[in-house]
Amino acid sequence: MDKQFPLALLVSDSTIQPLADILQASESSISFQTRVAPYDQVVQTLLDTRSQLWQPIPDIVVVWTRPERVVRAFGERMRAQPSSIETMLAQVEEFTELVRLAAGQARMVLVPTWTSPYYQRGMGILDWQRDNGVSYPLARMNLALADAFVGSKNIFVLDAQRWFTAVGKRSADPKLWFLGKVAYGMEVLKYAAADIRAAWRALNGLTRKVVAVDLDDTLWGGIVGDDENIVIGGHDPIGEAYAQVQTILKTYKARGVLLTIVSKNQESTALRTIREHSEMILRPDDFVAWRINWQDKAENIAELAQELKLGLDAFVFLDDNPVERSRVRQALPEVLVPELPLDKLLLPQALLELDYFDTSRLTDEDRQRADLYTMEKQRGISKSGAGSLQDWLMSLELRVRVEPLNDSNASRATQLLNKTNQLNLTTRRLSETELRAWSDEPDHHVLVFRVADRFGESGLTGLASVRAEHETAYIDDFVLSCRVMGRGVERTMLCALSELAKRAGAKQLVAIYRPTGRNEPCHEFFKNESGMSADATNRTFRWNLENNYPLPAHVQLQLAGPSPA
Amino acid sequence: MKPNHLERSDIAPVVLAALSHILSMHKPTQQIALDESTMLVGQHAVLDSLGLVLFAVELEQHLEDELELAIVLNDEREMTRRNSAFSSVATLTDFILAQLSNTTAPLSHG
């Protein structure tokens, strides 16, 4: 994965420079450039988005405040002065409005929740009373903070309480406060930095998509085939831990992560156990693919990447064996291989702490991803049974539905734009707000493509945009999910784009390929299959719009919504 | 607490470890070789004023965690005094040893 240097602006009413320092750390694959707003000038900074601090536009803005500073009525409550919940919530609203306004000047805004240090006992047994306590209004204020940003496309609330809980007593050190106005302990800042990096990965489609899991002593206790009984579930602490491991993996699957198996076992024995063991939580249907054999695991993972048409940097490999982990790390550095604890009771915790599966949206496609890959597998079986490629394509009964970008598809379209690497012409990454703004410009058009066939719906899997300038329509984005590559959808997209460009008055359609090291499949398509003429660099491709771009014979094209031209 | 058995060789590694920890976060882009001659404040210092505060608090925690020593280091006057105990790793180690041998000694010599 290429190293990234996004720009972060930190806005706080405490000394936040130490967080900036940690974010700049170079050992991570993401090393932020940072800007720190002047100490305790939160309101001024959020209001004055024309200042130098906001130029160029930051990728991420972190607005981390102390509750008693932002919500004055809460400060009064801390001093046992009369103040109403309603006043506090009104002041929360004032703050969230400021954040919302500033969010127009950033790709993403992160707002940590308000916290209270452990030594703040508030009103003791009265602390959770509405009219007297401190904990009660703090909880209400945090809920109001979260509610205020529901529906926002680029403002996210981070759970700072989790960082405090993880660090314990040293989460807030009064000495740091009095000596340097540092409100949070260094360990808290490290947790914060990790979540900020995870947020950046989520925004930019750097999320891991596949878990490749070992079986013996990873998915269950013991060695299947050797041990009389493998350990899973039941009234046994280790068995319960493994049951939880499986539940966690099933939860990841429900979030859109694909589960695969890479394990050295007898395939038939292992699959029989997965299918028949009464305590198994994961069953064969939960896995989209597997390599259960005695071959090198790195080779097996590489094969799975090919089978699933995903890059190696989409994979997380889980294995209890440090030798296997080391081998995969060495052979496939793109694969994420987390350390796993020797103590099996700590295995569930290690899996829950993984922060590489975060996404900035959770769509229906995410929830159904495993099913979509299973359908893809059935297509593959059908392909092997068909005669020629054309016969197979005809047998698919492929339907492609074209829609202009709109409220209902923008979220998934943005996700596709930011997650797709291989069939991606320019690899332009935009937030939903940016994509919508771009689409609203005169002579800009964004189309999205839904693909279905006789095996089922593949969902919104394509996006393309054009920008008309005089008599030329430039393709700025041409993105197709690897799930539907190689079935003529690419040419269908060009057909739709050429019609749109023609109606916009263009005489030619131009695609300029921008290599990233990962999008060679897109280059191959434009060179070999698009039918467009290439220039001498073999990177600019043109279609003369006096000629109709042919729709593939096996595709049924459906248009939805108003004509985009 | 006055653990008489503690030697300079016990204290200096803890000071260096705390310094290394803080620098890894506070100056993550710099690779700095650390030893007892490393200057903490003044010319050629590895820490700025904020870094010094972070380091003082970090070192207190390290001394407590690793050697069970409860020593107060975060005296702003001491940090900013000429010829401060915080001048270098060596002077700070001396200062901690002096604190151990005389728990009633004032932190600031000014």
Side-chain angles (χ1 to χ4, degrees):
Chain A
M1 199 171 289
D2 297 335
K3 186 151 177 103
Q4 303 213 356
F5 300 93
L7 176 60
L9 170 62
L10 309 185
V11 185
S12 183
D13 48 20
S14 64
T15 300
I16 205 69
Q17 182 63 43
L19 176 62
D21 296 334
I22 295 170
L23 287 171
Q24 288 169 19
S26 54
E27 73 269 20
S28 161
S29 61
I30 304 163
S31 182
F32 283 90
Q33 305 171 66
T34 57
R35 281 194 212 129
V36 177
Y39 170 79
D40 202 16
Q41 293 193 21
V42 174
V43 173
Q44 298 92 318
T45 304
L46 294 180
L47 279 174
D48 188 12
T49 53
R50 291 185 181 172
S51 77
Q52 286 293 312
L53 280 172
W54 295 82
Q55 314 302 329
I57 289 178
D59 294 301
I60 284 188
V61 178
V62 180
V63 186
W64 197 351
T65 58
R66 291 174 295 132
E68 67 273 25
R69 188 78 182 130
V70 169
V71 182
R72 298 171 305 282
F74 179 73
E76 286 162 14
R77 176 67 70 91
M78 287 177 73
R79 295 188 293 277
Q81 298 300 307
S83 61
S84 73
I85 290 285
E86 287 70 27
T87 307
M88 293 180 212
L89 296 182
Q91 291 173 359
V92 170
E93 197 175 330
E94 287 171 19
F95 170 69
T96 56
E97 195 51 40
L98 279 178
V99 173
R100 214 190 318 270
L101 285 173
Q105 284 298 309
R107 292 192 65 204
M108 175 187 257
V109 177
L110 302 175
V111 185
T113 52
W114 288 307
T115 49
S116 180
Y118 80 95
Y119 50 78
Q120 171 59 266
R121 293 192 66 257
M123 299 292 288
I125 58 170
L126 303 180
D127 210 44
W128 274 89
Q129 285 189 354
R130 176 190 165 97
D131 295 328
N132 296 307
V134 171
S135 292
Y136 178 89
L138 187 64
R140 288 286 302 271
M141 284 158 49
N142 275 319
L143 286 175
L145 187 70
D147 287 342
F149 301 132
V150 168
S152 165
K153 305 297 184 191
N154 68 336
I155 309 174
F156 299 90
V157 174
L158 299 179
D159 185 6
Q161 189 57 52
R162 192 177 65 78
W163 311 333
F164 270 54
T165 306
V167 174
K169 279 192 170 182
R170 287 173 180 169
S171 54
D173 191 323
K175 294 177 182 181
L176 286 176
W177 176 254
F178 289 119
L179 288 166
K181 294 293 173 282
V182 180
Y184 316 104
M186 292 298 274
E187 295 302 314
V188 165
L189 299 179
K190 281 166 76 174
Y191 276 97
D195 276 1
I196 292 167
R197 286 200 171 94
W200 174 254
R201 286 194 297 269
L203 180 71
N204 287 279
L206 304 174
T207 306
R208 301 275 164 168
K209 298 168 186 165
V210 189
V211 168
V213 65
D214 167 55
L215 294 176
D216 294 334
D217 286 325
T218 304
L219 199 63
W220 53 59
I223 298 170
V224 70
D226 283 4
D227 296 345
E228 201 158 298
N229 292 307
I230 58 163
V231 182
I232 176 168
H235 299 287
D236 175 90
I238 301 276
E240 283 185 28
Y242 279 112
Q244 200 184 345
V245 163
Q246 295 200 14
T247 301
I248 293 164
L249 290 176
K250 192 140 182 155
T251 307
Y252 280 136
K253 180 194 165 200
R255 286 170 51 179
V257 176
L258 303 175
L259 302 184
T260 66
I261 301 169
V262 173
S263 193
K264 288 180 176 169
N265 295 91
Q266 189 70 39
E267 181 175 6
S268 56
T269 311
L271 287 178
R272 187 169 59 249
T273 300
I274 296 171
R275 200 165 41 241
E276 296 174 6
H277 195 290
S278 61
E279 298 286 339
M280 278 293 292
I281 290 163
L282 294 169
R283 296 294 184 188
D285 285 354
D286 290 310
F287 298 96
V288 295
W290 52 75
R291 291 292 183 278
I292 304 172
N293 54 39
W294 303 101
Q295 290 170 23
D296 177 40
K297 291 193 177 184
E299 284 177 25
N300 277 331
I301 292 173
E303 271 186 38
L304 282 177
Q306 277 200 324
E307 179 179 329
L308 298 173
K309 299 177 188 164
L310 288 169
L312 286 165
D313 56 8
F315 278 73
V316 173
F317 175 55
L318 302 177
D319 198 312
D320 68 298
N321 185 336
V323 176
E324 297 287 7
R325 295 200 296 265
S326 167
R327 162 67 188 150
V328 171
R329 270 194 208 111
Q330 177 254 325
L332 307 173
E334 303 95 327
V335 174
L336 179 77
V337 187
E339 282 299 296
L340 294 181
L342 279 174
D343 186 342
K344 304 306 178 196
L345 298 183
L346 299 179
L347 205 47
Q349 178 190 333
L351 298 193
L352 286 169
E353 281 188 308
L354 293 175
D355 61 4
Y356 281 81
F357 302 118
D358 293 7
T359 53
S360 58
R361 291 279 174 277
L362 191 59
T363 62
D364 288 344
E365 269 87 357
D366 291 324
R367 295 190 178 92
Q368 296 162 5
R369 183 165 294 123
D371 296 337
L372 296 171
Y373 272 89
T374 305
M375 280 193 284
E376 179 60 22
K377 206 187 252 180
Q378 289 168 348
R379 278 183 202 102
I381 293 165
S382 141
K383 187 175 184 177
S384 62
S388 71
L389 178 63
Q390 190 56 35
D391 289 345
W392 176 70
L393 288 172
M394 293 302 286
S395 75
L396 285 179
E397 299 166 16
L398 201 67
R399 303 181 299 283
V400 178
R401 180 182 166 88
V402 191
E403 303 168 4
L405 187 74
N406 58 36
D407 288 345
S408 66
N409 59 34
S411 176
R412 166 63 186 154
T414 309
Q415 189 189 46
L416 184 73
L417 181 72
N418 289 312
K419 282 177 112 174
T420 308
N421 296 312
Q422 297 186 70
L423 211 135
N424 195 332
L425 183 69
T426 58
T427 316
R428 183 166 70 141
R429 306 298 197 195
L430 297 174
S431 69
E432 185 172 337
T433 310
E434 290 167 324
L435 179 62
R436 297 297 295 269
W438 189 93
S439 170
D440 288 342
E441 291 284 316
D443 301 320
H444 288 192
H445 306 282
V446 179
L447 299 180
V448 299
F449 300 82
R450 294 180 191 275
V451 177
D453 62 23
R454 70 184 170 94
F455 293 100
E457 301 271 346
S458 293
L460 198 164
T461 39
L463 179 147
S465 70
V466 289
R467 169 176 44 91
E469 280 187 14
H470 308 297
E471 295 189 336
T472 299
Y474 292 95
I475 302 177
D476 279 355
D477 302 287
F478 190 86
V479 173
L480 185 67
S481 165
C482 55
R483 292 209 308 267
V484 294
M485 275 164 58
R487 290 183 217 156
V489 181
E490 299 90 329
R491 282 178 288 134
T492 307
M493 288 168 66
L494 282 179
C495 176
L497 285 181
S498 68
E499 286 302 311
L500 191 153
K502 208 186 290 184
R503 276 183 278 163
K507 295 276 174 23
Q508 64 171 347
L509 184 65
V510 173
I512 303 172
Y513 168 71
R514 249 183 57 196
T516 63
R518 300 164 80 190
N519 62 347
E520 184 56 27
C522 192
H523 196 206
E524 290 296 318
F525 164 72
F526 275 94
K527 275 192 304 187
N528 304 326
E529 294 172 47
S530 71
M532 297 171 83
S533 55
D535 72 354
T537 67
N538 226 359
R539 287 191 178 169
T540 299
F541 303 89
R542 293 171 202 278
W543 180 263
N544 181 345
L545 291 170
E546 284 176 9
N547 304 317
N548 288 332
Y549 191 95
L551 179 69
H554 64 281
V555 176
Q556 184 191 341
L557 183 63
Q558 303 167 334
L559 300 173
S563 168
Chain B
M1 181 181 293
K2 187 184 175 185
N4 290 323
H5 61 280
L6 287 175
E7 304 287 337
R8 185 182 184 81
S9 58
D10 298 313
I11 304 292
V14 179
V15 177
L16 286 167
L19 181 60
S20 172
H21 188 231
I22 282 300
L23 287 173
S24 71
M25 290 186 280
H26 188 53
K27 301 279 183 190
T29 54
Q30 295 180 19
Q31 298 288 323
I32 304 168
L34 302 177
D35 57 32
E36 284 205 37
S37 68
T38 300
M39 300 303 290
L40 300 174
V41 295
Q43 228 182 354
H44 310 301
V46 294
L47 295 168
D48 55 20
S49 56
L50 176 61
L52 192 61
V53 167
L54 299 173
F55 168 60
V57 174
E58 183 74 20
L59 179 54
E60 284 183 7
Q61 292 176 356
H62 275 244
L63 290 168
E64 188 182 333
D65 292 348
E66 294 167 38
L67 302 176
E68 297 185 351
L69 294 179
I71 287 187
V72 177
L73 294 172
N74 51 55
D75 186 299
E76 197 171 7
R77 285 164 300 174
E78 182 60 39
M79 290 180 190
T80 53
R81 197 170 58 82
R82 270 172 74 92
N83 301 319
S84 158
F86 282 86
S87 297
S88 69
V89 172
T91 58
L92 187 54
T93 305
D94 291 339
F95 178 76
I96 295 167
L97 283 165
Q99 292 281 302
L100 291 178
S101 62
N102 179 9
T103 52
T104 58
L107 187 61
S108 169
H109 305 280

